[in-house]
Amino acid sequence: MIWDRERYIAHSLFEYTGEEMFCELFGPLVQLEEEWRRQGATAKEIAMTAFDWDYVLKTELACQTGAVTGMEPVVLSDTDEETISVDQYGRRMKLIKKSASLPLPLTHPVETMDDWLKIRHWYAFSDSRIHAARLREQKALRDKGYLTVLSVPGGFDEPRQLLGEENLCIACYEEPELIQDILSTIGDTCVKVIERVGEIVPIDHLFIHEDMAGKSGPLFGPGQVREFLMPYYQKVWNAAKAQGAKLFSQDSDGNMNPVLDAFLECGINSIHPCEPNAGMDIVQIRRQYGKRLSLKGGLDKFALRKDRAAIREELERKICSTTLGGGTIFGLDHRIPNGVSIENYRYYVNLGREMLGKGPIRGEGWGRMAF
């Protein structure tokens, strides 16, 4: 089912609209597509368009809130095993093809305050960050029911791109003024961009990507969130709310439970993908936070590697009176992993649709819901 912006916002803010939302956040891993082809999956199944997923019409607003470096990525070497490249931050990157889908940085542009001051201009505001003609087109799309989404750099993620995870965490103690200046600079530019965009088209949804946690927990604790991230989050969220925004969503893998209270204080009101294997249980989170926090994802992707009984058990536990009635967008907690058979996936889709009262598949397609 295709949702419009008004219905999606209402559902995300815990209003029951007469429908539950059943989505696919990310889609399959690349390697899984080959497995499914060998098992007889159709082209539409591989493209995710055969399952009639719920998704909202959306448009990602034409502006630039992050680094504008002037550098283009360059591939230095490419073999069957790995690709070595230089990215838009000037970092040397390495992709191990057999075990990863994303390259990892081997170098970073910032180690000291002096390094940061040399590249601080990457985050300066200029009119070139605003693509007015496209924004006017997006205003027309919003009038037709499209959700308008504006993305800002992660308060953890962007400094991590500049310093690396280890150096970022150490800098919180040894050079806190460096982290504060980075986030203050980025935040000031984001506010100017948000205000300029809002003059052309209202903003419905503010999105921030962090990926700051693993199974054992987040790399920042509540203290670091409140000290370093909260001023930035509140700055951009207050600006977005002034331009009409109702939703502020965060994407972070891993166990975010220890910092959820702190991020709610920052303004977040929606999170995904809620990974069960990292301790993120959408039933428990809903019981704890009620209508303060809407949830996307939360269904264990690894249950689909097992048998039908395991799939049914997962769905019956998560689709319950606590999570129904608005505020939950049910879906797998990340990409569909290798080893999930097409037969198991079909069963998961059909059983989930039945439990959620979705009715027969109408073939309306698929839209990625990880935002």
Side-chain angles (χ1 to χ4, degrees):
M1 175 180 168
I2 301 173
W3 294 52
D4 65 21
R5 55 173 296 277
E6 289 186 1
R7 192 173 202 175
Y8 176 78
I9 292 170
H11 181 85
S12 298
L13 295 178
F14 298 90
E15 296 179 31
Y16 182 56
T17 65
E19 289 275 350
E20 297 293 343
M21 200 164 193
F22 190 30
C23 77
E24 183 61 67
L25 288 182
F26 294 93
L29 286 170
V30 174
Q31 296 92 331
L32 182 64
E33 295 179 2
E34 278 304 314
E35 292 181 30
W36 280 7
R37 286 189 183 94
R38 291 194 296 270
Q39 295 166 16
T42 68
K44 286 187 176 181
E45 286 176 324
I46 291 169
M48 293 282 104
T49 58
F51 304 106
D52 204 16
W53 289 117
D54 291 323
Y55 64 99
V56 64
L57 297 168
K58 68 179 185 297
T59 182
E60 297 183 14
L61 292 170
C63 60
Q64 173 60 268
T65 56
V68 179
T69 69
M71 291 182 278
E72 294 292 331
V74 177
V75 174
L76 301 179
S77 65
D78 191 21
T79 67
D80 291 341
E81 291 75 32
E82 66 181 30
T83 299
I84 303 296
S85 61
V86 175
D87 74 354
Q88 71 273 20
Y89 292 92
R91 302 178 301 185
R92 191 177 178 90
M93 309 290 288
K94 183 176 183 178
L95 172 65
I96 306 297
K97 294 182 177 179
K98 293 183 179 179
S99 60
S101 58
L102 295 173
L104 292 177
L106 302 175
T107 61
H108 292 89
V110 175
E111 291 186 8
T112 66
M113 178 66 84
D114 286 341
D115 295 332
W116 159 243
L117 294 176
K118 291 175 184 175
I119 65 164
R120 200 170 185 259
H121 64 277
W122 289 357
Y123 298 92
F125 176 79
S126 71
D127 290 336
S128 62
R129 290 179 176 270
I130 310 298
H131 307 293
R134 176 57 184 154
L135 287 169
R136 286 190 287 271
E137 294 172 355
Q138 292 175 309
K139 171 62 167 63
L141 289 176
R142 185 179 186 272
D143 293 340
K144 294 177 181 178
Y146 282 65
L147 186 80
T148 56
V149 181
L150 190 146
S151 297
V152 294
F156 177 90
D157 184 52
E158 192 66 16
R160 181 242 310 273
Q161 304 302 328
L162 299 176
L163 284 86
E165 290 176 348
E166 182 177 350
N167 286 340
L168 170 57
C169 293
I170 291 171
C172 289
Y173 297 93
E174 296 188 352
E175 285 193 277
E177 66 281 356
L178 170 61
I179 310 307
Q180 290 163 347
D181 193 66
I182 290 172
L183 291 176
S184 177
T185 300
I186 296 172
D188 289 346
T189 291
C190 285
V191 168
K192 292 175 184 176
V193 170
I194 289 167
E195 291 172 346
R196 290 286 300 277
V197 168
E199 293 173 358
I200 302 171
V201 53
I203 300 163
D204 295 321
H205 186 126
L206 188 68
F207 170 68
I208 193 163
H209 173 270
E210 294 292 9
D211 273 2
M212 58 180 285
K215 280 188 176 182
S216 61
L219 291 172
F220 271 16
Q224 287 76 37
V225 171
R226 292 186 174 102
E227 180 178 357
F228 297 103
L229 304 190
M230 186 180 291
Y232 170 65
Y233 269 65
Q234 291 181 341
K235 181 185 292 186
V236 297
W237 179 227
N238 287 336
K241 283 193 295 183
Q243 304 302 327
K246 299 290 192 299
L247 301 174
F248 188 7
S249 71
Q250 182 193 80
D251 175 354
S252 191
D253 300 342
N255 182 4
M256 294 291 285
N257 286 310
V259 290
L260 285 183
D261 285 306
F263 275 117
L264 282 168
E265 294 170 27
C266 291
I268 288 294
N269 60 14
S270 177
I271 60 167
H272 67 274
C274 304
E275 292 185 280
N277 280 276
M280 297 289 286
D281 185 320
I282 59 173
V283 179
Q284 292 180 8
I285 294 171
R286 175 54 36 77
R287 287 173 179 160
Q288 181 173 356
Y289 293 103
K291 295 184 177 182
R292 298 172 62 199
L293 186 64
S294 68
L295 308 169
K296 262 195 269 190
L299 300 178
D300 186 359
K301 56 186 175 289
F302 294 119
L304 275 63
R305 281 180 170 171
K306 301 175 184 177
D307 56 18
R308 291 188 171 193
I311 296 170
R312 177 176 286 275
E313 180 182 359
E314 174 67 9
L315 290 174
E316 288 180 344
R317 201 180 83 73
K318 300 291 176 61
I319 298 174
C320 62
S321 59
T322 302
T323 55
L324 292 169
T328 308
I329 299 170
F330 297 97
L332 295 183
D333 61 297
H334 216 286
R335 289 191 180 277
I336 312 162
N338 300 338
V340 173
S341 71
I342 186 61
E343 285 300 324
N344 273 10
Y345 191 75
R346 290 167 182 157
Y347 177 76
Y348 156 73
V349 173
N350 290 323
L351 180 59
R353 291 182 63 83
E354 177 186 333
M355 292 176 65
L356 291 166
K358 301 302 295 181
I361 288 177
R362 292 173 290 186
E364 289 189 336
W366 172 56
R368 177 185 164 105
M369 286 292 292
F371 62 91

